[in-house]
Amino acid sequence: MKIAFLFSTLEGYGLVKIAFTLIKELKHNYPVEIHAITLSKEPENSMIDAFKQENIPVHSLNMSRIKGMFCAQKALARLVNKEQFNILHSHGFRANLIHHQIKKLIPKTKEVMTVHLDPKDDAKHPLGPLFSLWRTNKHTNIIREADNIVACSKSVSKSLEKYNIHISAIQNGIEIPSLQRNKTMSDLLKKDLGISGKTVSIVISGLHPRKNIKTIIEVYNKLGNSYPLLIIGEGSVKKELEESANSNILFLGFKKNIIPYLQIADLYISASYSEGLPLSVLEAMSNQVIPILSSIDPHKEIVQNSCFENYLFDCDDTGALYKICNSLLNQKDGIEELKVAAREIIINHFSAQRMAKDYYQLYLSCK
């Protein structure tokens, strides 16, 4: 079976990271040949080197967004037909749009799409509300007409019902990391950051309004200098957030390798207004970091029927978040047990092996 994964670019954020994990798992355990196709030039934080290290062929149309509107369709169809892909699996609005437009030009290739976020939440755009509305309507129509489409979580699947769209879900999964740690390196990292001997909280996120980082900053400003908060990520509101933060809040920018930072962290916090099934939460919990999450459906989906439901809070409720953080930061007993429990949830329900098995069955059953 020859499969092409279609992306806008290989920019190193959640959607591409999840797909890369899926590709590796399929490639190593199933009789498939997998290629990646991108529409545009790679950004600075591209994962293209990681794809090449895994010997995954990458084909780039290398078109700007404007040129791609007029030329990408024929170029992509030529490539798909030339390579004789059995399946074209697209991820994200732009890839799904181009995929939908060439459907009749690639009759021998089966169509698969993954929806990673509610189209309305995915559509918010600097060009304004009219463009966002067009994009929402366009994406919902594409989803409605797709032959083989799944959501990345049960929560996203449920959110699509308001558009009268009913699709199944294949939940995101991750590679379960080893817990072998270099204590010396971790101690050096904490020393370099000026947080030796302290309980560490961490946020790994794009710095955009939807992620609601301001609520977390407000709480950690109040908690004070004894409680460091690491924020890893870049985004449109970074400068505004930096200006509002006290000295215990450290902005570390984009990091290709987040594992060393998760290994020194005790608490992971997300106050997001919306998500698909957040990779950063799964990665944190798999590294035994205790999750404190806003009470949106995708977060509830991860921690349902566990003790971590006690650490859910309403997105803008700084009082509730303060109480949870303050309690855990000062808790003496039971912290190690909570860390072990967090990892067990990921091992039991959100592994890459389970995700790959479900997708392979989908490929076999494609219409």
Side-chain angles (χ1 to χ4, degrees), residues 115-128:
V115 184
H116 291 270
L117 197 63
D118 183 319
K120 184 177 180 181
D121 296 326
D122 196 28
K124 293 174 182 176
H125 198 277
L127 291 179

Side-chain angles (χ1 to χ4, degrees), residues 3-10 13-20 22-23 26 34-37 39 51 87-99 112-117 122 135 139 150-152 172 355 359 363:
I3 306 168
F5 277 62
L6 178 63
F7 307 95
S8 177
T9 69
L10 298 179
Y13 63 105
L15 177 157
V16 175
K17 287 183 175 180
I18 286 288
F20 180 62
L22 172 59
I23 289 169
L26 288 167
I34 299 181
H35 295 227
I37 303 174
L39 300 173
F51 276 73
I87 289 170
L88 182 61
H89 185 172
S90 56
H91 298 262
F93 169 71
R94 189 169 171 232
N96 288 348
L97 173 63
I98 302 295
H99 189 178
V112 176
M113 294 182 184
T114 298
V115 184
H116 291 270
L117 197 63
D122 196 28
R135 180 166 159 161
H139 206 180
V150 293
C152 72
N172 287 344
M355 175 176 64
Y359 269 107
Y363 297 150

Side-chain angles (χ1 to χ4, degrees), residues 182-216:
N182 187 324
K183 187 176 185 303
T184 301
M185 294 301 293
S186 292
D187 289 345
L188 281 173
L189 179 56
K190 292 184 79 169
K191 183 179 179 181
D192 288 344
L193 294 171
I195 56 175
S196 296
K198 295 183 178 181
T199 302
V200 178
S201 304
I202 193 168
V203 172
I204 301 172
S205 173
L207 305 184
H208 306 293
R210 176 171 65 86
K211 299 295 188 174
N212 192 27
I213 309 296
K214 61 180 175 56
T215 290
I216 304 172

Side-chain angles (χ1 to χ4, degrees), residues 63-312:
M63 295 184 182
S64 68
R65 289 179 179 269
I66 293 176
K67 183 179 179 182
M69 290 172 61
F70 303 100
C71 303
Q73 295 84 352
K74 288 185 178 179
L76 178 59
R78 281 196 301 269
L79 174 61
V80 171
N81 289 327
K82 177 185 175 184
E83 292 287 341
Q84 297 182 325
F85 292 117
N86 303 110
I87 289 170
L88 182 61
H89 185 172
S90 56
H91 298 262
F93 169 71
R94 189 169 171 232
N96 288 348
L97 173 63
I98 302 295
H99 189 178
H100 179 71
Q101 290 172 335
I102 68 165
K103 188 173 177 179
K104 293 181 180 179
L105 301 177
I106 52 171
K108 295 182 180 179
T109 302
K110 294 175 181 177
E111 173 190 53
V112 176
M113 294 182 184
T114 298
V115 184
H116 291 270
L117 197 63
D118 183 319
K120 184 177 180 181
D121 296 326
D122 196 28
K124 293 174 182 176
H125 198 277
L127 291 179
L130 287 178
F131 182 85
S132 297
L133 179 61
W134 170 83
R135 180 166 159 161
T136 299
N137 291 336
K138 189 68 177 178
H139 206 180
T140 53
N141 287 335
I142 290 169
I143 294 166
R144 193 175 286 114
E145 295 173 11
D147 291 334
N148 305 284
I149 188 159
V150 293
C152 72
S153 69
K154 295 175 183 177
S155 304
V156 170
S157 176
K158 182 181 176 182
S159 76
L160 292 171
E161 292 176 3
K162 64 177 173 283
Y163 307 109
N164 198 28
I165 296 171
H166 302 276
I167 62 174
S168 60
I170 295 179
Q171 291 172 304
N172 287 344
I174 63 167
E175 294 178 272
I176 307 300
S178 166
L179 288 182
Q180 290 184 343
R181 301 183 180 186
N182 187 324
K183 187 176 185 303
T184 301
M185 294 301 293
S186 292
D187 289 345
L188 281 173
L189 179 56
K190 292 184 79 169
K191 183 179 179 181
D192 288 344
L193 294 171
I195 56 175
S196 296
K198 295 183 178 181
T199 302
V200 178
S201 304
I202 193 168
V203 172
I204 301 172
S205 173
L207 305 184
H208 306 293
R210 176 171 65 86
K211 299 295 188 174
N212 192 27
I213 309 296
K214 61 180 175 56
T215 290
I216 304 172
I217 287 176
E218 185 176 337
V219 167
Y220 273 77
N221 281 343
K222 186 177 178 182
L223 283 166
N225 289 336
S226 297
Y227 302 107
L229 173 68
L230 310 182
I231 298 180
I232 294 176
E234 297 285 350
S236 59
V237 296
K238 182 179 180 180
K239 184 177 180 182
E240 173 189 331
L241 295 173
E242 286 178 324
E243 290 173 350
S244 69
N246 290 346
S247 59
N248 60 313
I249 300 171
L250 306 179
F251 290 82
L252 304 181
F254 174 79
K255 300 292 181 183
K256 278 194 173 182
N257 183 10
I258 60 170
I259 299 301
Y261 298 91
L262 289 174
Q263 289 178 342
I264 64 171
D266 301 283
L267 308 181
Y268 180 89
I269 307 168
S270 172
S272 286
Y273 292 121
S274 67
E275 292 285 354
L277 195 70
L279 171 65
S280 58
V281 176
L282 303 182
E283 289 179 324
M285 292 175 66
S286 72
N287 279 280
Q288 295 192 333
V289 185
I290 298 167
I292 304 171
L293 308 172
S294 56
S295 56
I296 58 175
D297 285 346
H299 286 160
K300 291 178 181 178
E301 184 174 337
I302 295 171
V303 301
Q304 64 183 348
N305 302 320
S306 78
C307 59
F308 301 108
E309 289 183 315
N310 297 323
Y311 307 136
L312 294 169

